[in-house]
PDB file of all heavy atoms in Angstrom:
ATOM      1  N   ALA L 261      37.769 -70.665  20.846  1.00  0.00           N
ATOM      2  CA  ALA L 261      37.363 -71.252  22.122  1.00  0.00           C
ATOM      3  C   ALA L 261      36.107 -72.078  21.905  1.00  0.00           C
ATOM      4  O   ALA L 261      35.284 -71.762  21.044  1.00  0.00           O
ATOM      5  CB  ALA L 261      37.071 -70.158  23.152  1.00  0.00           C
ATOM      6  N   LYS L 262      36.005 -73.153  22.696  1.00  0.00           N
ATOM      7  CA  LYS L 262      34.767 -73.915  22.720  1.00  0.00           C
ATOM      8  C   LYS L 262      33.787 -73.176  23.635  1.00  0.00           C
ATOM      9  O   LYS L 262      34.210 -72.402  24.520  1.00  0.00           O
ATOM     10  CB  LYS L 262      35.037 -75.329  23.238  1.00  0.00           C
ATOM     11  CG  LYS L 262      35.838 -76.173  22.257  1.00  0.00           C
ATOM     12  CD  LYS L 262      35.004 -76.487  21.022  1.00  0.00           C
ATOM     13  CE  LYS L 262      35.729 -77.433  20.079  1.00  0.00           C
ATOM     14  NZ  LYS L 262      34.918 -77.727  18.876  1.00  0.00           N
ATOM     15  N   GLN L 263      32.505 -73.438  23.421  1.00  0.00           N
ATOM     16  CA  GLN L 263      31.470 -72.726  24.192  1.00  0.00           C
ATOM     17  C   GLN L 263      31.774 -72.763  25.697  1.00  0.00           C
ATOM     18  O   GLN L 263      32.103 -73.823  26.237  1.00  0.00           O
ATOM     19  CB  GLN L 263      30.121 -73.385  23.931  1.00  0.00           C
ATOM     20  CG  GLN L 263      28.961 -72.475  24.192  1.00  0.00           C
ATOM     21  CD  GLN L 263      27.669 -73.260  24.154  1.00  0.00           C
ATOM     22  OE1 GLN L 263      27.309 -73.913  25.119  1.00  0.00           O
ATOM     23  NE2 GLN L 263      26.997 -73.222  23.029  1.00  0.00           N
ATOM     24  N   GLY L 264      31.699 -71.600  26.358  1.00  0.00           N
ATOM     25  CA  GLY L 264      31.910 -71.528  27.803  1.00  0.00           C
ATOM     26  C   GLY L 264      33.366 -71.413  28.228  1.00  0.00           C
ATOM     27  O   GLY L 264      33.654 -71.239  29.408  1.00  0.00           O
ATOM     28  N   CYS L 265      34.310 -71.530  27.275  1.00  0.00           N
ATOM     29  CA  CYS L 265      35.750 -71.485  27.633  1.00  0.00           C
ATOM     30  C   CYS L 265      36.344 -70.126  27.251  1.00  0.00           C
ATOM     31  O   CYS L 265      35.762 -69.383  26.474  1.00  0.00           O
ATOM     32  CB  CYS L 265      36.520 -72.573  26.892  1.00  0.00           C
ATOM     33  SG  CYS L 265      35.895 -74.215  27.259  1.00  0.00           S
ATOM     34  N   ASP L 266      37.539 -69.855  27.793  1.00  0.00           N
ATOM     35  CA  ASP L 266      38.235 -68.617  27.447  1.00  0.00           C
ATOM     36  C   ASP L 266      38.927 -68.767  26.094  1.00  0.00           C
ATOM     37  O   ASP L 266      39.413 -69.844  25.759  1.00  0.00           O
ATOM     38  CB  ASP L 266      39.299 -68.298  28.506  1.00  0.00           C
ATOM     39  CG  ASP L 266      38.658 -67.773  29.775  1.00  0.00           C
ATOM     40  OD1 ASP L 266      37.508 -67.284  29.691  1.00  0.00           O
ATOM     41  OD2 ASP L 266      39.295 -67.873  30.837  1.00  0.00           O
ATOM     42  N   PHE L 267      39.028 -67.648  25.393  1.00  0.00           N
ATOM     43  CA  PHE L 267      39.722 -67.676  24.100  1.00  0.00           C
ATOM     44  C   PHE L 267      41.199 -67.975  24.290  1.00  0.00           C
ATOM     45  O   PHE L 267      41.806 -67.546  25.263  1.00  0.00           O
ATOM     46  CB  PHE L 267      39.588 -66.320  23.395  1.00  0.00           C
ATOM     47  CG  PHE L 267      38.280 -66.171  22.685  1.00  0.00           C
ATOM     48  CD1 PHE L 267      37.223 -65.514  23.286  1.00  0.00           C
ATOM     49  CD2 PHE L 267      38.099 -66.706  21.420  1.00  0.00           C
ATOM     50  CE1 PHE L 267      36.009 -65.387  22.644  1.00  0.00           C
ATOM     51  CE2 PHE L 267      36.884 -66.587  20.758  1.00  0.00           C
ATOM     52  CZ  PHE L 267      35.833 -65.924  21.369  1.00  0.00           C
ATOM     53  N   GLU L 268      41.757 -68.728  23.352  1.00  0.00           N
ATOM     54  CA  GLU L 268      43.208 -68.917  23.337  1.00  0.00           C
ATOM     55  C   GLU L 268      43.721 -68.711  21.923  1.00  0.00           C
ATOM     56  O   GLU L 268      42.984 -68.878  20.950  1.00  0.00           O
ATOM     57  CB  GLU L 268      43.587 -70.305  23.847  1.00  0.00           C
ATOM     58  CG  GLU L 268      42.941 -71.424  23.070  1.00  0.00           C
ATOM     59  CD  GLU L 268      43.383 -72.799  23.547  1.00  0.00           C
ATOM     60  OE1 GLU L 268      44.133 -72.876  24.518  1.00  0.00           O
ATOM     61  OE2 GLU L 268      42.979 -73.786  22.908  1.00  0.00           O
ATOM     62  N   LYS L 269      44.984 -68.338  21.846  1.00  0.00           N
ATOM     63  CA  LYS L 269      45.612 -68.155  20.538  1.00  0.00           C
ATOM     64  C   LYS L 269      45.785 -69.531  19.918  1.00  0.00           C
ATOM     65  O   LYS L 269      46.275 -70.455  20.576  1.00  0.00           O
ATOM     66  CB  LYS L 269      46.976 -67.476  20.765  1.00  0.00           C
ATOM     67  CG  LYS L 269      47.771 -67.206  19.537  1.00  0.00           C
ATOM     68  CD  LYS L 269      47.430 -65.838  18.934  1.00  0.00           C
ATOM     69  CE  LYS L 269      48.131 -65.636  17.603  1.00  0.00           C
ATOM     70  NZ  LYS L 269      47.762 -66.569  16.548  1.00  0.00           N
ATOM     71  N   LEU L 270      45.373 -69.713  18.681  1.00  0.00           N
ATOM     72  CA  LEU L 270      45.500 -71.020  18.029  1.00  0.00           C
ATOM     73  C   LEU L 270      46.704 -71.009  17.087  1.00  0.00           C
ATOM     74  O   LEU L 270      47.034 -69.971  16.492  1.00  0.00           O
ATOM     75  CB  LEU L 270      44.231 -71.348  17.239  1.00  0.00           C
ATOM     76  CG  LEU L 270      42.923 -71.407  18.056  1.00  0.00           C
ATOM     77  CD1 LEU L 270      41.735 -71.702  17.144  1.00  0.00           C
ATOM     78  CD2 LEU L 270      43.004 -72.472  19.150  1.00  0.00           C
ATOM     79  N   ASP L 271      47.348 -72.165  16.965  1.00  0.00           N
ATOM     80  CA  ASP L 271      48.476 -72.278  16.020  1.00  0.00           C
ATOM     81  C   ASP L 271      47.965 -72.057  14.608  1.00  0.00           C
ATOM     82  O   ASP L 271      46.965 -72.669  14.210  1.00  0.00           O
ATOM     83  CB  ASP L 271      49.088 -73.684  16.090  1.00  0.00           C
ATOM     84  CG  ASP L 271      50.023 -73.799  17.265  1.00  0.00           C
ATOM     85  OD1 ASP L 271      50.403 -72.747  17.820  1.00  0.00           O
ATOM     86  OD2 ASP L 271      50.359 -74.940  17.635  1.00  0.00           O
ATOM     87  N   GLU L 272      48.666 -71.225  13.872  1.00  0.00           N
ATOM     88  CA  GLU L 272      48.259 -70.974  12.477  1.00  0.00           C
ATOM     89  C   GLU L 272      49.074 -71.902  11.589  1.00  0.00           C
ATOM     90  O   GLU L 272      50.084 -71.525  11.016  1.00  0.00           O
ATOM     91  CB  GLU L 272      48.487 -69.501  12.146  1.00  0.00           C
ATOM     92  CG  GLU L 272      47.525 -68.609  12.925  1.00  0.00           C
ATOM     93  CD  GLU L 272      48.073 -67.217  13.216  1.00  0.00           C
ATOM     94  OE1 GLU L 272      49.140 -66.864  12.709  1.00  0.00           O
ATOM     95  OE2 GLU L 272      47.393 -66.495  13.971  1.00  0.00           O
ATOM     96  N   SER L 273      48.626 -73.168  11.539  1.00  0.00           N
ATOM     97  CA  SER L 273      49.493 -74.203  10.980  1.00  0.00           C
ATOM     98  C   SER L 273      49.140 -74.618   9.551  1.00  0.00           C
ATOM     99  O   SER L 273      49.862 -75.410   8.943  1.00  0.00           O
ATOM    100  CB  SER L 273      49.428 -75.432  11.885  1.00  0.00           C
ATOM    101  OG  SER L 273      48.070 -75.768  12.071  1.00  0.00           O
ATOM    102  N   THR L 274      48.043 -74.088   9.009  1.00  0.00           N
ATOM    103  CA  THR L 274      47.684 -74.505   7.647  1.00  0.00           C
ATOM    104  C   THR L 274      48.677 -73.897   6.652  1.00  0.00           C
ATOM    105  O   THR L 274      48.861 -72.674   6.636  1.00  0.00           O
ATOM    106  CB  THR L 274      46.249 -74.050   7.308  1.00  0.00           C
ATOM    107  OG1 THR L 274      45.379 -74.607   8.277  1.00  0.00           O
ATOM    108  CG2 THR L 274      45.824 -74.492   5.920  1.00  0.00           C
ATOM    109  N   PRO L 275      49.334 -74.726   5.841  1.00  0.00           N
ATOM    110  CA  PRO L 275      50.333 -74.167   4.917  1.00  0.00           C
ATOM    111  C   PRO L 275      49.680 -73.306   3.832  1.00  0.00           C
ATOM    112  O   PRO L 275      48.565 -73.618   3.390  1.00  0.00           O
ATOM    113  CB  PRO L 275      50.987 -75.408   4.303  1.00  0.00           C
ATOM    114  CG  PRO L 275      50.083 -76.545   4.595  1.00  0.00           C
ATOM    115  CD  PRO L 275      49.174 -76.173   5.723  1.00  0.00           C
ATOM    116  N   VAL L 276      50.351 -72.244   3.455  1.00  0.00           N
ATOM    117  CA  VAL L 276      49.812 -71.381   2.397  1.00  0.00           C
ATOM    118  C   VAL L 276      50.882 -71.137   1.343  1.00  0.00           C
ATOM    119  O   VAL L 276      52.079 -71.204   1.622  1.00  0.00           O
ATOM    120  CB  VAL L 276      49.336 -70.008   2.942  1.00  0.00           C
ATOM    121  CG1 VAL L 276      47.996 -70.114   3.615  1.00  0.00           C
ATOM    122  CG2 VAL L 276      50.362 -69.361   3.853  1.00  0.00           C
ATOM    123  N   SER L 277      50.397 -70.839   0.159  1.00  0.00           N
ATOM    124  CA  SER L 277      51.302 -70.467  -0.922  1.00  0.00           C
ATOM    125  C   SER L 277      51.504 -68.953  -0.883  1.00  0.00           C
ATOM    126  O   SER L 277      51.196 -68.306   0.116  1.00  0.00           O
ATOM    127  CB  SER L 277      50.670 -70.916  -2.241  1.00  0.00           C
ATOM    128  OG  SER L 277      51.514 -70.631  -3.322  1.00  0.00           O
ATOM    129  N   SER L 278      51.994 -68.380  -1.961  1.00  0.00           N
ATOM    130  CA  SER L 278      52.116 -66.923  -2.035  1.00  0.00           C
ATOM    131  C   SER L 278      51.523 -66.467  -3.358  1.00  0.00           C
ATOM    132  O   SER L 278      51.426 -67.249  -4.312  1.00  0.00           O
ATOM    133  CB  SER L 278      53.582 -66.500  -1.960  1.00  0.00           C
ATOM    134  OG  SER L 278      54.241 -66.896  -3.148  1.00  0.00           O
ATOM    135  N   LEU L 279      51.142 -65.205  -3.397  1.00  0.00           N
ATOM    136  CA  LEU L 279      50.591 -64.646  -4.636  1.00  0.00           C
ATOM    137  C   LEU L 279      51.582 -64.848  -5.786  1.00  0.00           C
ATOM    138  O   LEU L 279      51.201 -65.243  -6.890  1.00  0.00           O
ATOM    139  CB  LEU L 279      50.291 -63.154  -4.426  1.00  0.00           C
ATOM    140  CG  LEU L 279      49.897 -62.361  -5.657  1.00  0.00           C
ATOM    141  CD1 LEU L 279      48.606 -62.881  -6.284  1.00  0.00           C
ATOM    142  CD2 LEU L 279      49.757 -60.874  -5.319  1.00  0.00           C
TER     143      LEU L 279
END
Side-chain angles (χ1 to χ4, degrees):
K262 290 291 185 180
Q263 203 190 81
C265 301
D266 285 338
F267 279 97
E268 57 177 4
K269 180 89 186 63
L270 300 178
D271 279 345
E272 292 151 8
S273 52
T274 302
V276 282
S277 182
S278 69
L279 172 62

